[in-house]
Structure formats: structure tokens, C-alpha cells
Amino acid sequence: MGLQITIRESNNVTILDLQGRVTIGLSADTLANQLRDLMDAGVRKVLLNLSGVPQVDSSGITVLVRSFVSLQRLGGSLKLLRPAGRVREVLELTRLLQSIPAFDDEAAALASF
């Protein structure tokens, strides 16, 4: 199964609900392209809901880091919602959770923007 992305808005924050793996190949490319398109359209506040993501590899991490840095350079921000299990472990091992804010509660995440 490929990566499924559902986009919704809340209080000027664009929320991407992800379902599936973010790994090398089509899924990481799909997420990178979607984020790039949103930035090109002027979106500056992005919340990635990772609750439906069971696995992320180095390609997925690269997409997260590039998008985080790109949004910061544009005066925006990227935050993570509900990373769990192996995804949280990978984000902790790579120390990304020290740089990219992560939340377990959507209301708290939205309030942080």
C-alpha cells in the first residue's frame, strides 16, 4: 500500500494526515512533492499527523528535515503530531525530536503555531 495523504485546514494551519509508510521510493517522493506544492502555494504552517505511519526510513527523514528547513527559511514552521512506535524511536535516535516540535495532542499542536 502506498502513502495516503489527506489534507485539511484548522486555524490557518495545514494538516496532513498520513496513512502508510514513508520510505524510499514513491511514498517519500509523494510526500516531498505534496509539501513542496503546498509551500509553492503559500502555505507556511504545516502539521504532519504521523499517527497512521508505521515506518519511516532515511528517505522519509530526509523529506522531514528538508521541509522543516525550507519552511523555516520562508518564515513558517513544520510540526509533528502523534509519532508513535518505531517512527518515534527513529525520530529520537536521529535526535530530530530535539529540533522538530512533536505533539501527542492536536489541540496543543495547533495552539503552538
XYZ file of all heavy atoms in Angstrom:
852
model
N 0.827 -1.182 0.000
C 0.000 0.000 0.000
C 0.869 1.242 0.000
O 1.816 1.350 0.755
C -0.893 -0.013 1.243
C -1.754 1.230 1.369
S -2.820 1.146 2.830
C -1.970 2.316 3.870
N 0.546 2.184 -0.867
C 1.283 3.427 -0.927
C 0.858 4.382 0.163
O -0.062 4.116 0.930
N 1.516 5.502 0.225
C 1.207 6.525 1.208
C -0.059 7.266 0.802
O -0.186 7.724 -0.335
C 2.380 7.503 1.323
C 2.208 8.641 2.324
C 2.182 8.087 3.745
C 3.346 9.641 2.172
N -0.996 7.374 1.730
C -2.225 8.138 1.521
C -2.102 9.443 2.300
O -1.755 9.428 3.483
C -3.439 7.361 2.035
C -3.601 5.983 1.435
C -3.981 6.034 -0.032
O -4.805 6.832 -0.434
N -3.365 5.187 -0.827
N -2.401 10.572 1.648
C -2.310 11.877 2.289
C -3.674 12.559 2.208
O -4.214 12.720 1.113
C -1.246 12.769 1.631
C 0.127 12.087 1.650
C -1.191 14.135 2.317
C 1.197 12.826 0.868
N -4.200 12.941 3.360
C -5.431 13.716 3.426
C -5.061 15.088 3.976
O -4.378 15.183 5.003
C -6.460 13.043 4.354
O -6.670 11.708 3.906
C -7.774 13.795 4.361
N -5.517 16.129 3.287
C -5.175 17.492 3.691
C -6.412 18.181 4.240
O -7.486 18.113 3.647
C -4.612 18.293 2.501
C -3.362 17.609 1.960
C -4.305 19.730 2.922
C -2.823 18.224 0.697
N -6.226 18.838 5.385
C -7.305 19.632 5.959
C -6.722 20.892 6.585
O -5.507 20.996 6.753
C -8.115 18.816 6.975
C -7.307 18.213 8.080
C -8.110 17.174 8.882
N -7.261 16.445 9.788
C -7.129 16.715 11.086
N -7.802 17.710 11.627
N -6.328 15.990 11.840
N -7.584 21.854 6.882
C -7.151 23.133 7.443
C -7.788 23.345 8.808
O -8.931 22.944 9.029
C -7.596 24.285 6.532
C -6.979 24.280 5.159
C -5.636 24.950 5.107
O -5.380 25.855 5.923
O -4.838 24.571 4.246
N -7.063 23.990 9.707
C -7.604 24.380 11.002
C -6.838 25.597 11.499
O -5.610 25.532 11.671
C -7.486 23.237 12.004
O -8.030 23.615 13.253
N -7.526 26.704 11.682
C -6.906 27.938 12.198
C -5.650 28.337 11.413
O -4.607 28.584 11.993
C -6.557 27.788 13.679
C -7.769 27.528 14.530
O -8.873 27.965 14.204
N -7.592 26.812 15.612
N -5.742 28.375 10.093
C -4.621 28.749 9.223
C -3.450 27.778 9.270
O -2.337 28.124 8.879
C -4.132 30.172 9.525
C -5.175 31.201 9.190
O -5.905 31.064 8.206
N -5.274 32.233 10.002
N -3.673 26.582 9.788
C -2.651 25.533 9.802
C -3.104 24.441 8.837
O -4.248 24.010 8.870
C -2.458 24.939 11.214
C -1.460 23.796 11.184
C -2.024 26.019 12.199
N -2.204 24.028 7.963
C -2.496 22.936 7.037
C -2.051 21.637 7.690
O -0.888 21.483 8.062
C -1.769 23.152 5.696
O -2.196 24.396 5.144
C -2.077 22.026 4.731
N -3.002 20.722 7.842
C -2.733 19.445 8.494
C -2.716 18.352 7.433
O -3.658 18.235 6.646
C -3.806 19.123 9.551
C -3.895 20.261 10.578
C -3.507 17.783 10.228
C -5.124 20.211 11.444
N -1.648 17.589 7.403
C -1.556 16.443 6.505
C -1.673 15.177 7.340
O -0.816 14.902 8.183
C -0.223 16.430 5.752
C -0.109 17.338 4.536
C -0.014 18.786 4.958
C 1.093 16.964 3.710
N -2.773 14.449 7.139
C -2.959 13.163 7.806
C -2.345 12.098 6.910
O -2.798 11.906 5.782
C -4.448 12.884 8.018
C -5.096 13.886 8.966
O -4.539 14.104 10.057
O -6.145 14.443 8.610
N -1.320 11.437 7.402
C -0.597 10.443 6.615
C -1.012 9.037 7.026
O -1.133 8.742 8.212
C 0.910 10.606 6.803
C 1.488 12.012 6.575
C 2.987 12.005 6.800
C 1.162 12.513 5.182
N -1.197 8.173 6.027
C -1.510 6.759 6.257
C -0.584 5.926 5.387
O -0.633 6.029 4.163
C -2.965 6.445 5.873
C -3.980 6.980 6.843
C -4.081 6.151 8.107
O -3.165 5.426 8.473
N -5.185 6.261 8.798
N 0.264 5.143 6.013
C 1.186 4.292 5.274
C 2.631 4.625 5.588
O 2.929 5.538 6.349
N 3.507 3.875 4.998
C 4.945 4.045 5.236
C 5.495 5.235 4.463
O 5.071 5.513 3.350
C 5.685 2.788 4.810
C 5.296 1.596 5.631
C 5.985 0.348 5.147
N 5.627 -0.751 6.034
C 5.872 -2.000 5.792
N 6.481 -2.349 4.672
N 5.523 -2.931 6.646
N 6.475 5.895 5.078
C 7.212 6.971 4.407
C 8.624 6.444 4.215
O 9.501 6.611 5.060
C 7.188 8.275 5.227
C 7.899 9.386 4.453
C 5.753 8.692 5.546
N 8.796 5.741 3.103
C 10.063 5.063 2.834
C 10.536 5.387 1.417
O 9.803 5.982 0.631
C 9.903 3.536 2.998
O 8.830 3.093 2.171
C 9.615 3.166 4.445
N 11.751 4.955 1.111
C 12.374 5.255 -0.170
C 11.448 4.863 -1.328
O 10.769 3.843 -1.284
C 13.751 4.557 -0.298
C 14.501 5.108 -1.509
C 13.594 3.064 -0.352
C 15.971 4.725 -1.522
N 11.424 5.722 -2.320
C 10.600 5.449 -3.488
C 9.388 6.361 -3.560
O 9.434 7.519 -3.155
N 8.305 5.803 -4.035
C 7.109 6.586 -4.330
C 6.533 7.290 -3.106
O 6.116 8.448 -3.194
C 6.050 5.685 -4.974
C 4.801 6.391 -5.478
C 5.152 7.450 -6.517
C 3.829 5.380 -6.062
N 6.506 6.638 -1.948
C 5.858 7.265 -0.790
C 6.616 8.506 -0.314
O 6.004 9.552 -0.061
C 5.673 6.267 0.349
O 6.904 5.819 0.856
N 7.939 8.428 -0.210
C 8.721 9.599 0.199
C 8.638 10.693 -0.859
O 8.511 11.879 -0.533
C 10.170 9.208 0.469
N 8.668 10.300 -2.126
C 8.560 11.279 -3.214
C 7.200 11.967 -3.198
O 7.099 13.174 -3.423
C 8.774 10.609 -4.573
C 10.196 10.107 -4.765
O 11.092 10.518 -3.992
O 10.414 9.286 -5.685
N 6.150 11.196 -2.938
C 4.799 11.750 -2.887
C 4.696 12.802 -1.787
O 4.152 13.891 -2.000
C 3.760 10.626 -2.641
O 3.827 9.701 -3.729
C 2.357 11.174 -2.522
N 5.211 12.483 -0.605
C 5.167 13.434 0.500
C 6.001 14.672 0.190
O 5.555 15.802 0.412
C 5.651 12.777 1.800
C 5.636 13.677 3.033
C 4.241 14.226 3.302
C 6.172 12.919 4.244
N 7.194 14.483 -0.353
C 8.053 15.623 -0.695
C 7.371 16.526 -1.708
O 7.377 17.763 -1.558
C 9.394 15.123 -1.240
N 6.773 15.947 -2.735
C 6.094 16.743 -3.763
C 4.893 17.481 -3.194
O 4.653 18.645 -3.537
C 5.668 15.854 -4.933
C 6.850 15.333 -5.718
O 7.926 15.926 -5.717
N 6.664 14.205 -6.379
N 4.131 16.818 -2.334
C 2.958 17.454 -1.729
C 3.374 18.644 -0.875
O 2.773 19.722 -0.959
C 2.185 16.444 -0.880
C 0.908 17.004 -0.288
C -0.108 17.320 -1.355
O -0.649 16.435 -1.987
N -0.366 18.593 -1.575
N 4.400 18.465 -0.063
C 4.879 19.559 0.783
C 5.433 20.710 -0.057
O 5.179 21.875 0.238
C 5.926 19.041 1.770
C 5.363 18.167 2.893
C 6.477 17.397 3.593
C 4.595 19.016 3.889
N 6.155 20.384 -1.111
C 6.699 21.422 -1.992
C 5.576 22.202 -2.661
O 5.613 23.432 -2.732
C 7.618 20.797 -3.045
C 8.434 21.822 -3.821
C 9.441 21.199 -4.788
N 10.163 20.062 -4.243
C 9.969 18.784 -4.623
N 9.072 18.482 -5.533
N 10.675 17.814 -4.082
N 4.546 21.491 -3.130
C 3.398 22.158 -3.757
C 2.697 23.093 -2.774
O 2.288 24.202 -3.143
C 2.397 21.130 -4.291
C 2.919 20.364 -5.506
O 3.945 20.790 -6.090
O 2.299 19.342 -5.857
N 2.545 22.651 -1.530
C 1.901 23.498 -0.521
C 2.727 24.754 -0.256
O 2.176 25.859 -0.162
C 1.694 22.710 0.767
C 0.615 21.622 0.728
C 0.684 20.749 1.974
C -0.769 22.230 0.562
N 4.035 24.585 -0.130
C 4.906 25.748 0.094
C 4.837 26.706 -1.092
O 4.764 27.924 -0.911
C 6.344 25.307 0.357
C 6.556 24.738 1.736
S 8.286 24.324 2.050
C 8.247 22.564 1.791
N 4.849 26.158 -2.305
C 4.751 26.990 -3.508
C 3.427 27.757 -3.547
O 3.350 28.842 -4.109
C 4.890 26.148 -4.779
C 6.310 25.622 -4.984
O 7.244 26.107 -4.301
O 6.477 24.710 -5.828
N 2.389 27.186 -2.934
C 1.067 27.822 -2.897
C 0.936 28.815 -1.743
O -0.122 29.407 -1.559
C -0.016 26.752 -2.795
N 2.001 28.966 -0.961
C 1.989 29.957 0.105
C 1.708 29.421 1.493
O 1.621 30.198 2.449
N 1.582 28.126 1.646
C 1.351 27.532 2.971
C 2.633 27.669 3.797
O 3.725 27.361 3.318
C 0.929 26.049 2.843
C 0.925 25.371 4.195
C -0.431 25.949 2.176
N 2.483 28.142 5.038
C 3.649 28.339 5.896
C 3.553 27.626 7.237
O 4.527 27.530 7.968
C 3.874 29.843 6.150
C 4.207 30.624 4.887
C 5.528 30.187 4.307
N 5.860 30.864 3.066
C 5.705 30.371 1.846
N 5.179 29.167 1.688
N 6.060 31.044 0.783
N 2.366 27.122 7.584
C 2.184 26.399 8.846
C 1.693 24.999 8.523
O 0.579 24.830 8.021
C 1.169 27.113 9.729
C 1.593 28.507 10.157
C 0.486 29.179 10.949
C 0.869 30.598 11.313
N -0.245 31.265 12.018
N 2.541 24.011 8.800
C 2.221 22.629 8.436
C 2.337 21.723 9.667
O 3.331 21.774 10.396
C 3.167 22.113 7.325
C 2.901 20.645 7.020
C 3.042 22.966 6.073
N 1.302 20.916 9.858
C 1.298 19.911 10.912
C 1.166 18.545 10.247
O 0.204 18.298 9.522
C 0.127 20.146 11.874
C -0.016 19.175 13.040
C 1.215 19.236 13.955
C -1.285 19.482 13.827
N 2.163 17.689 10.449
C 2.137 16.340 9.881
C 1.624 15.361 10.928
O 2.275 15.147 11.951
C 3.536 15.909 9.436
C 4.146 16.606 8.235
C 5.534 16.032 7.944
C 3.265 16.466 7.016
N 0.468 14.781 10.662
C -0.107 13.783 11.559
C 0.472 12.418 11.192
O 0.132 11.843 10.167
C -1.632 13.783 11.448
C -2.284 12.795 12.374
O -1.625 12.045 13.079
N -3.597 12.784 12.368
N 1.341 11.912 12.054
C 2.048 10.665 11.800
C 1.401 9.463 12.484
O 1.980 8.372 12.489
C 3.508 10.789 12.264
C 4.324 11.907 11.627
C 5.707 11.977 12.266
C 4.431 11.720 10.123
N 0.203 9.619 13.021
C -0.419 8.521 13.774
C -0.673 7.289 12.905
O -0.695 6.171 13.409
C -1.728 8.975 14.423
O -2.671 9.364 13.450
N -0.813 7.466 11.593
C -1.047 6.339 10.697
C 0.194 5.872 9.962
O 0.104 5.141 8.981
N 1.362 6.306 10.445
C 2.627 5.943 9.794
C 3.353 4.903 10.655
O 3.846 5.231 11.735
C 3.523 7.186 9.580
C 4.853 6.795 8.963
C 2.807 8.211 8.716
N 3.446 3.658 10.173
C 4.115 2.618 10.960
C 5.630 2.577 10.769
O 6.345 1.980 11.571
C 3.490 1.329 10.436
C 3.166 1.639 9.006
C 2.778 3.094 8.997
N 6.129 3.206 9.692
C 7.561 3.112 9.392
C 8.018 4.340 8.629
O 7.326 4.840 7.734
C 7.839 1.865 8.559
C 9.293 1.671 8.203
C 9.526 0.439 7.333
O 8.594 -0.241 6.932
N 10.771 0.166 7.041
N 9.213 4.817 8.976
C 9.876 5.884 8.239
C 11.347 5.493 8.122
O 11.933 4.975 9.058
C 9.679 7.257 8.926
C 10.304 7.291 10.295
C 10.202 8.386 8.074
N 11.913 5.674 6.925
C 13.335 5.343 6.747
C 14.124 6.618 6.481
O 13.616 7.731 6.647
C 13.518 4.297 5.636
C 13.201 4.818 4.243
O 12.872 6.014 4.090
O 13.292 4.018 3.287
N 15.372 6.470 6.052
C 16.234 7.639 5.839
C 15.677 8.584 4.783
O 15.836 9.801 4.893
C 17.649 7.196 5.473
O 17.637 6.427 4.282
N 14.997 8.057 3.782
C 14.395 8.921 2.764
C 13.265 9.746 3.368
O 13.125 10.940 3.071
C 13.844 8.094 1.601
O 14.886 7.464 0.914
N 12.475 9.119 4.217
C 11.404 9.846 4.900
C 11.953 10.905 5.836
O 11.430 12.025 5.912
N 13.021 10.568 6.550
C 13.672 11.533 7.443
C 14.187 12.716 6.634
O 14.045 13.872 7.034
C 14.831 10.859 8.219
C 14.295 9.785 9.162
C 15.671 11.884 8.953
C 13.417 10.286 10.283
N 14.765 12.433 5.484
C 15.275 13.493 4.614
C 14.151 14.442 4.200
O 14.327 15.669 4.212
C 15.961 12.887 3.371
O 17.056 12.084 3.805
C 16.455 13.970 2.431
N 12.999 13.893 3.850
C 11.850 14.730 3.471
C 11.442 15.618 4.644
O 11.194 16.820 4.466
C 10.661 13.854 3.014
C 9.403 14.688 2.847
C 11.001 13.130 1.725
N 11.378 15.058 5.845
C 11.006 15.846 7.021
C 11.989 16.988 7.271
O 11.588 18.124 7.495
C 10.925 14.954 8.261
C 9.838 13.882 8.286
C 9.930 13.069 9.575
C 8.463 14.480 8.118
N 13.272 16.671 7.228
C 14.294 17.682 7.503
C 14.286 18.777 6.432
O 14.302 19.971 6.755
C 15.696 17.036 7.621
C 16.783 18.094 7.680
C 15.753 16.127 8.841
N 14.250 18.389 5.171
C 14.244 19.389 4.098
C 13.023 20.298 4.185
O 13.131 21.519 4.010
C 14.276 18.708 2.732
C 15.626 18.199 2.364
C 15.648 17.681 0.942
N 16.983 17.196 0.619
C 17.235 16.325 -0.318
N 16.267 15.825 -1.056
N 18.477 15.929 -0.553
N 11.871 19.707 4.464
C 10.644 20.502 4.561
C 10.689 21.427 5.775
O 10.279 22.590 5.693
C 9.430 19.580 4.646
O 9.361 18.771 3.493
N 11.190 20.918 6.897
C 11.324 21.732 8.103
C 12.220 22.941 7.835
O 11.859 24.082 8.150
C 11.892 20.870 9.237
C 12.163 21.617 10.509
C 11.120 21.973 11.347
C 13.459 21.946 10.874
C 11.372 22.658 12.535
C 13.713 22.631 12.045
C 12.672 22.990 12.883
N 13.377 22.704 7.228
C 14.330 23.779 6.939
C 13.746 24.750 5.908
O 13.837 25.976 6.077
C 15.685 23.202 6.461
C 16.593 24.288 5.929
C 16.348 22.434 7.597
N 13.120 24.231 4.860
C 12.535 25.091 3.833
C 11.456 26.004 4.416
O 11.417 27.202 4.123
C 11.923 24.263 2.704
O 12.921 23.544 2.017
N 10.595 25.447 5.248
C 9.542 26.260 5.857
C 10.129 27.303 6.805
O 9.661 28.449 6.836
C 8.538 25.374 6.595
C 7.474 24.759 5.696
C 6.780 23.594 6.376
C 6.461 25.810 5.267
N 11.160 26.946 7.552
C 11.803 27.920 8.430
C 12.379 29.079 7.627
O 12.231 30.239 8.011
C 12.913 27.271 9.252
C 12.405 26.601 10.503
C 13.525 26.338 11.486
O 14.627 25.959 11.093
N 13.238 26.510 12.752
N 13.015 28.766 6.510
C 13.600 29.814 5.664
C 12.533 30.740 5.092
O 12.801 31.905 4.812
C 14.406 29.190 4.529
C 15.701 28.593 4.992
C 16.509 28.043 3.846
N 17.755 27.470 4.338
C 18.432 26.535 3.720
N 18.011 26.056 2.562
N 19.548 26.073 4.225
N 11.326 30.210 4.927
C 10.209 31.000 4.401
C 9.430 31.704 5.511
O 8.406 32.330 5.256
C 9.258 30.095 3.606
C 9.828 29.491 2.321
C 8.903 28.412 1.777
C 10.052 30.586 1.281
N 9.909 31.588 6.747
C 9.234 32.214 7.878
C 8.094 31.387 8.437
O 7.273 31.886 9.200
N 8.044 30.126 8.078
C 6.973 29.247 8.544
C 7.491 28.202 9.502
O 8.581 28.326 10.054
N 6.677 27.167 9.706
C 7.102 26.094 10.599
C 6.403 24.788 10.263
O 5.298 24.773 9.714
C 6.853 26.470 12.059
O 5.495 26.741 12.279
N 7.092 23.709 10.587
C 6.567 22.358 10.427
C 6.642 21.686 11.790
O 7.662 21.782 12.477
C 7.398 21.569 9.411
C 6.976 20.113 9.218
C 6.895 19.793 7.735
C 7.923 19.158 9.894
N 5.535 21.037 12.171
C 5.488 20.330 13.443
C 4.895 18.950 13.208
O 4.223 18.720 12.203
C 4.675 21.126 14.462
C 5.311 22.496 14.703
C 4.576 23.337 15.688
C 5.272 24.695 15.780
N 4.746 25.522 16.843
N 5.159 18.051 14.139
C 4.721 16.663 14.013
C 3.652 16.345 15.044
O 3.710 16.834 16.176
C 5.910 15.722 14.209
C 7.134 15.981 13.336
C 8.272 15.041 13.721
C 6.791 15.851 11.868
N 2.703 15.522 14.642
C 1.628 15.110 15.535
C 1.620 13.592 15.671
O 1.635 12.877 14.661
C 0.279 15.592 14.983
C -0.974 15.218 15.773
C -0.924 15.839 17.168
C -2.218 15.656 15.026
N 1.617 13.129 16.881
C 1.464 11.719 17.237
C 2.451 10.736 16.578
O 2.028 9.685 16.097
C 0.048 11.252 16.971
C -0.998 11.961 17.806
C -2.377 11.342 17.595
N -3.393 12.195 18.171
C -4.235 12.933 17.443
N -4.204 12.904 16.137
N -5.120 13.688 18.040
N 3.743 11.041 16.574
C 4.664 9.991 16.120
C 4.667 8.889 17.179
O 4.707 9.183 18.376
C 6.015 10.702 16.046
C 5.902 11.831 17.024
C 4.450 12.242 17.017
N 4.573 7.643 16.754
C 4.476 6.545 17.727
C 5.313 5.355 17.282
O 5.737 5.265 16.137
C 3.010 6.126 17.891
N 5.525 4.446 18.207
C 6.198 3.190 17.907
C 7.571 3.373 17.289
O 8.386 4.154 17.768
N 7.801 2.653 16.202
C 9.108 2.699 15.538
C 9.413 4.072 14.956
O 10.568 4.485 14.890
C 9.173 1.654 14.430
C 9.235 0.257 14.965
C 9.411 -0.742 13.870
N 9.520 -2.072 14.439
C 9.732 -3.138 13.750
N 9.852 -3.067 12.447
N 9.815 -4.307 14.344
N 8.381 4.778 14.525
C 8.596 6.121 13.971
C 9.156 7.031 15.058
O 10.127 7.754 14.836
C 7.291 6.684 13.374
C 7.459 8.137 12.966
C 6.850 5.842 12.192
N 8.562 6.990 16.250
C 9.074 7.804 17.359
C 10.507 7.389 17.703
O 11.365 8.240 17.955
C 8.177 7.696 18.587
C 8.686 8.548 19.761
C 7.741 8.574 20.938
N 6.625 9.470 20.772
C 6.674 10.796 20.936
N 7.811 11.382 21.240
N 5.605 11.533 20.791
N 10.774 6.096 17.712
C 12.122 5.607 18.008
C 13.144 6.165 17.021
O 14.219 6.620 17.418
C 12.161 4.079 17.974
C 11.458 3.411 19.131
C 11.413 1.894 18.981
O 12.200 1.339 18.188
O 10.590 1.270 19.666
N 12.809 6.131 15.737
C 13.721 6.647 14.713
C 13.936 8.149 14.907
O 15.065 8.645 14.821
C 13.184 6.347 13.292
C 13.954 7.121 12.236
C 13.244 4.857 13.010
N 12.863 8.888 15.189
C 12.984 10.333 15.391
C 13.805 10.655 16.633
O 14.543 11.646 16.656
C 11.596 10.970 15.478
C 10.760 10.900 14.203
C 9.345 11.406 14.458
C 11.416 11.661 13.066
N 13.694 9.809 17.663
C 14.509 10.007 18.864
C 15.973 9.665 18.606
O 16.874 10.396 19.021
C 13.964 9.163 20.024
C 12.670 9.708 20.589
C 12.008 8.785 21.600
O 12.439 7.612 21.736
O 11.046 9.230 22.244
N 16.216 8.539 17.905
C 17.595 8.127 17.614
C 18.326 9.153 16.761
O 19.527 9.376 16.940
C 17.610 6.774 16.899
C 17.362 5.556 17.775
C 17.200 4.308 16.917
C 18.505 5.369 18.763
N 17.616 9.760 15.823
C 18.236 10.763 14.954
C 18.233 12.149 15.592
O 18.716 13.108 14.992
C 17.500 10.833 13.603
O 16.118 11.126 13.840
C 17.638 9.535 12.837
N 17.663 12.225 16.794
C 17.566 13.475 17.559
C 16.733 14.540 16.864
O 16.856 15.725 17.165
C 18.953 14.003 17.899
C 19.733 12.987 18.702
C 20.834 13.567 19.459
N 21.367 12.487 20.301
C 22.549 12.505 20.825
N 23.331 13.522 20.627
N 22.943 11.518 21.583
N 15.889 14.139 15.952
C 15.026 15.107 15.270
C 13.976 15.688 16.201
O 13.546 16.829 16.009
C 14.342 14.471 14.059
C 15.206 14.361 12.827
C 14.421 13.757 11.680
C 15.742 15.717 12.416
N 13.579 14.930 17.216
C 12.576 15.450 18.148
C 13.122 16.597 18.993
O 12.357 17.314 19.631
C 12.034 14.330 19.040
C 11.183 13.285 18.317
C 10.663 12.236 19.299
C 10.034 13.929 17.559
N 14.444 16.779 18.970
C 15.038 17.934 19.655
C 14.957 19.179 18.775
O 15.085 20.292 19.273
C 16.494 17.644 20.027
C 16.626 16.542 21.051
C 18.074 16.184 21.338
O 18.996 16.796 20.804
N 18.282 15.182 22.169
N 14.747 18.999 17.476
C 14.690 20.122 16.544
C 13.281 20.387 16.024
O 12.865 21.539 15.919
C 15.606 19.858 15.346
O 16.926 19.663 15.763
N 12.580 19.328 15.677
C 11.237 19.473 15.124
C 10.233 19.212 16.249
O 10.202 18.113 16.800
C 10.999 18.485 13.961
C 12.035 18.688 12.853
C 9.586 18.655 13.406
C 11.925 17.694 11.700
N 9.414 20.215 16.586
C 8.442 20.032 17.671
C 7.456 18.911 17.354
O 6.968 18.796 16.235
C 7.728 21.384 17.743
C 8.655 22.356 17.081
C 9.383 21.564 16.034
N 7.172 18.081 18.354
C 6.219 16.979 18.198
C 5.215 17.030 19.346
O 5.567 17.372 20.475
C 6.944 15.641 18.188
N 3.981 16.695 19.030
C 2.882 16.758 19.989
C 2.070 15.479 19.932
O 1.956 14.854 18.883
C 1.968 17.951 19.668
C 2.663 19.278 19.731
C 3.367 19.756 18.636
C 2.636 20.040 20.885
C 4.029 20.978 18.681
C 3.294 21.260 20.949
C 3.992 21.736 19.843
N 1.463 15.117 21.064
C 0.555 13.976 21.103
C -0.896 14.427 21.059
O -1.797 13.622 20.865
C 0.803 13.138 22.353
C 2.135 12.397 22.279
O 2.506 11.959 21.169
O 2.794 12.272 23.309
N -1.138 15.742 21.244
C -2.484 16.289 21.267
C -2.636 17.325 20.148
O -1.844 18.276 20.069
C -2.745 16.942 22.629
C -4.117 17.553 22.711
O -5.101 16.790 22.712
O -4.199 18.794 22.758
N -3.634 17.128 19.286
C -3.805 18.025 18.139
C -4.108 19.453 18.561
O -3.579 20.399 17.972
C -4.916 17.507 17.227
C -5.047 18.323 15.957
C -5.966 17.702 14.931
O -5.915 16.462 14.731
O -6.741 18.447 14.317
N -4.929 19.638 19.578
C -5.270 20.993 20.032
C -4.022 21.731 20.521
O -3.830 22.910 20.208
C -6.328 20.947 21.124
N -3.171 21.034 21.255
C -1.924 21.639 21.740
C -1.003 21.969 20.566
O -0.359 23.025 20.555
C -1.228 20.707 22.711
N -0.951 21.089 19.592
C -0.111 21.340 18.413
C -0.597 22.572 17.670
O 0.202 23.432 17.287
C -0.127 20.115 17.496
N -1.890 22.670 17.450
C -2.441 23.821 16.740
C -2.211 25.113 17.513
O -1.899 26.160 16.917
C -3.937 23.626 16.464
C -4.258 22.516 15.467
C -5.768 22.232 15.433
C -3.753 22.852 14.072
N -2.348 25.063 18.822
C -2.148 26.254 19.665
C -0.696 26.723 19.645
O -0.422 27.900 19.897
C -2.593 25.961 21.094
N 0.238 25.833 19.315
C 1.659 26.178 19.351
C 2.111 27.013 18.146
O 3.205 27.544 18.138
C 2.507 24.906 19.424
O 2.502 24.229 18.181
N 1.263 27.112 17.124
C 1.681 27.841 15.916
C 1.606 29.337 16.144
O 0.843 30.004 16.527
C 0.829 27.453 14.717
C 1.289 26.175 14.076
C 0.750 24.955 14.437
C 2.291 26.170 13.113
C 1.159 23.769 13.845
C 2.728 24.997 12.522
C 2.158 23.794 12.893
